[in-house]
Amino acid sequence: TGFVDLRDVQLAYSGHGTETLALDGLTMAVNRGEFAAVVGPSGCGKSTLMKLATGLIRPQAGTVEVAAREVDGPVSIAGMAFQNPSMLPWRTTLQNVMLPLEIVQPHRKRLGRERAAYTQLAEELLSVVGLAGFGAKYPWQLSGGMQQRANLCRALIHDPELLMLDEPFGALDAFTREELWQVMRDLHAEKGFTTILVTHDLREAVFLADRVFVMSARPGRIIVEHEISFPRPRP
Ligand code: ADP
Ligand code: ADP
């Protein structure tokens, strides 16, 4: 059993009198500390898989476990950066990055006393992704790519044990994207969290991941699992 463990999961969306079977018999295990990538055709259920593992939705059949516990609500040890940065326009970038600290226990309790330390961490993270000095700007003053980078900082601010990334680099130009790959690899090696990355980019998957999962077209399930075993430079 993995740190993230989905077994025989079935998930159907219903509405307007129709039913869409998004996942059928999906089984997948990601070990603690591993960097996993999930690839597959558009609509195969990758985002659905991410929502299941973070407890945003529940399966109709099968089991979803994170850290050996059945997922029955939002997974507080997870940091999430999904495709579209959803930053609050009336808060600065720094305040957006710190948002999970106001929501996720136990960080919420600590925020009062440790606001200065957390502010420093937020500024460090912004600097790591190339946004030093942009904390005081509002999200709508940033480009799409810059918002995506800030979104990544927000996913990391509460020191998550599990990092869930759904196409997090899509709005970045090729050069910035490859810089961010290196940043991700360094962060993963340094902090030791478990990562699941959804991507369309096979180069990205192979560069970043220890294990690549390939999904079939809808209804989605894992059809290939491949461990990337060639030696890669570790920071
Ligand atoms: P991917 O991330 O691989 O593109 P998704 O998980 O977003 O795939 O979607 C899987 C399937 O479920 C698709 O056919 C999609 O149209 C359908 N789907 C996703 N979300 C919903 C929803 N809220 N209601 C109905 N169908 C949905
Ligand atoms: P991307 O979407 O890839 O981040 P853009 O082409 O929109 O890039 O912006 C290119 C660069 O212009 C950014 O990386 C940043 O350095 C600068 N830039 C964009 N928006 C702003 C802003 N509001 N203030 C200062 N610099 C900015």
Side-chain angles (χ1 to χ4, degrees):
T1 66
F3 182 67
V4 178
D5 207 277
L6 294 95
R7 244 166 296 159
D8 254 325
V9 165
Q10 193 184 83
L11 187 121
Y13 293 103
S14 52
H16 306 291
T18 60
E19 187 150 286
T20 306
L21 189 57
L23 299 176
D24 191 20
L26 180 135
T27 294
M28 172 184 186
V30 177
N31 298 322
R32 187 185 279 274
E34 208 166 37
F35 200 129
V38 179
V39 299
S42 188
C44 71
K46 301 183 294 296
S47 298
T48 301
L49 157 66
M50 299 298 263
K51 288 182 217 157
L52 280 165
T54 47
L56 303 181
I57 54 176
R58 305 281 307 276
Q60 276 92 24
T63 57
V64 179
E65 286 180 10
V66 172
R69 275 181 48 187
E70 173 107 38
V71 170
D72 60 1
V75 173
S76 65
I77 61 166
M80 306 169 214
F82 289 171
Q83 216 157 345
N84 303 310
S86 50
M87 308 224 284
L88 302 176
W90 56 86
R91 290 180 145 228
T92 65
T93 299
L94 189 82
Q95 289 168 343
N96 268 286
V97 168
M98 291 177 69
L99 198 57
L101 302 172
E102 294 169 26
I103 299 165
V104 180
Q105 297 286 7
H107 298 271
R108 190 177 160 181
K109 274 196 205 127
R110 292 212 289 263
L111 186 58
R113 300 178 261 134
E114 296 172 26
R115 185 171 286 274
Y118 277 122
T119 303
Q120 195 188 337
L121 174 61
E123 277 165 355
E124 276 167 21
L125 286 170
L126 284 170
S127 152
V128 160
V129 301
L131 291 180
F134 283 92
K137 297 240 188 210
Y138 287 86
W140 42 269
Q141 295 179 299
L142 305 183
S143 72
M146 294 164 92
Q147 286 186 42
Q148 268 196 338
R149 285 181 270 160
N151 210 37
L152 181 63
C153 298
R154 185 172 62 185
L156 289 164
I157 190 74
H158 65 293
D159 205 11
E161 285 181 60
L162 175 62
L163 183 63
M164 303 294 281
L165 306 174
D166 191 346
E167 295 274 1
F169 310 128
L172 299 175
D173 62 90
F175 180 75
T176 312
R177 188 178 313 150
E178 293 191 12
E179 275 187 344
L180 258 280
W181 291 355
Q182 197 57 56
V183 166
M184 272 319 301
R185 225 154 91 163
D186 293 352
L187 283 169
H188 187 259
E190 179 195 325
K191 308 218 180 215
F193 44 68
T194 306
T195 306
I196 302 183
L197 165 78
V198 163
T199 180
H200 277 111
D201 184 346
L202 268 179
R203 272 182 67 230
E204 180 169 294
V206 170
F207 184 85
L208 285 171
D210 304 310
R211 190 185 298 276
V212 178
F213 294 89
V214 181
M215 288 179 71
S216 62
R218 188 164 65 86
R221 61 171 72 95
I222 304 292
I223 48 168
V224 173
E225 177 184 335
H226 184 75
E227 198 164 340
I228 311 252
S229 52
F230 55 84
R232 287 174 303 176
R234 284 285 172 193

